[in-house]
Amino acid sequence: MNADRQTRRVVLDELFVGADVYVITPLWTTEAEVPSVQPVAGYWQSLLVEDDPDPEFRTYCHLFAARRPWRRGCIDELLRDIADDKVAGVLITDTRMQRIHYPYDGGADVFLATFEERDWMRDRHVDWLSSHPSGL
């Protein structure tokens, strides 16, 4: 297993062990109608992202959410697709949406509910932070 995948697993387990999570996946279209192409996730909501006067240039983001109990490895295939840049914009969140893990092909961002929780996570994984002075 590569180090990046192991890193993601550690952080995901720390965020969600013993809890249910939502795995939220976006689908971008130029149509307001909800496409029916997400067989494993239920439709949640649609957002008008770009309200161009010309309907051909309007952009919609349709969000699909699947609730599942967190288990180590339960989204490994999805994480692999994200790392390979086959999928983008996925969010993994607790059911109260207070902890959010946003994986992308070069790593992940984590959003936490409190400054204390953020600082604890940062201090616990200081060696994983960017060398940029902000840590970003």
Side-chain angles (χ1 to χ4, degrees):
M1 176 184 310
N2 69 32
D4 184 51
R5 190 179 313 155
Q6 183 62 32
T7 299
R8 287 183 187 185
R9 280 185 164 181
V10 168
V11 171
L12 285 162
D13 286 346
E14 288 178 2
L15 293 172
F16 305 123
V17 71
D20 280 3
V21 297
Y22 288 119
V23 178
I24 302 168
T25 54
L27 181 61
W28 300 84
T29 70
T30 57
E31 301 294 326
E33 293 78 34
V34 179
S36 60
V37 296
Q38 296 286 42
V40 297
Y43 170 73
W44 178 28
Q45 66 178 322
S46 295
L47 307 168
L48 175 59
V49 179
E50 184 65 43
D51 190 12
D52 194 284
D54 184 340
E56 290 186 32
F57 294 104
R58 287 190 186 130
T59 305
Y60 297 86
C61 180
H62 306 284
L63 299 172
F64 298 83
R67 184 175 178 155
R68 63 176 65 184
W70 180 256
R71 303 241 189 300
R72 177 173 272 236
C74 69
I75 61 167
D76 279 0
E77 186 176 327
L78 179 59
L79 291 176
R80 200 168 305 114
D81 286 346
I82 292 167
D84 292 340
D85 205 22
K86 294 178 184 175
V87 178
V90 173
L91 300 173
I92 300 102
T93 180
D94 63 282
T95 56
R96 294 181 358 170
M97 296 188 176
Q98 293 186 328
R99 293 176 164 183
I100 300 171
H101 187 272
Y102 173 59
Y104 46 87
D105 63 337
D109 291 334
V110 176
F111 303 91
L112 302 167
T114 66
F115 293 118
E116 294 79 17
E117 191 174 26
R118 178 206 59 197
D119 293 347
W120 178 84
M121 184 70 77
R122 180 199 61 218
D123 295 346
R124 186 164 165 78
H125 302 292
V126 69
D127 55 324
W128 295 349
L129 296 175
S130 163
S131 59
H132 187 276
S134 71
L136 301 175

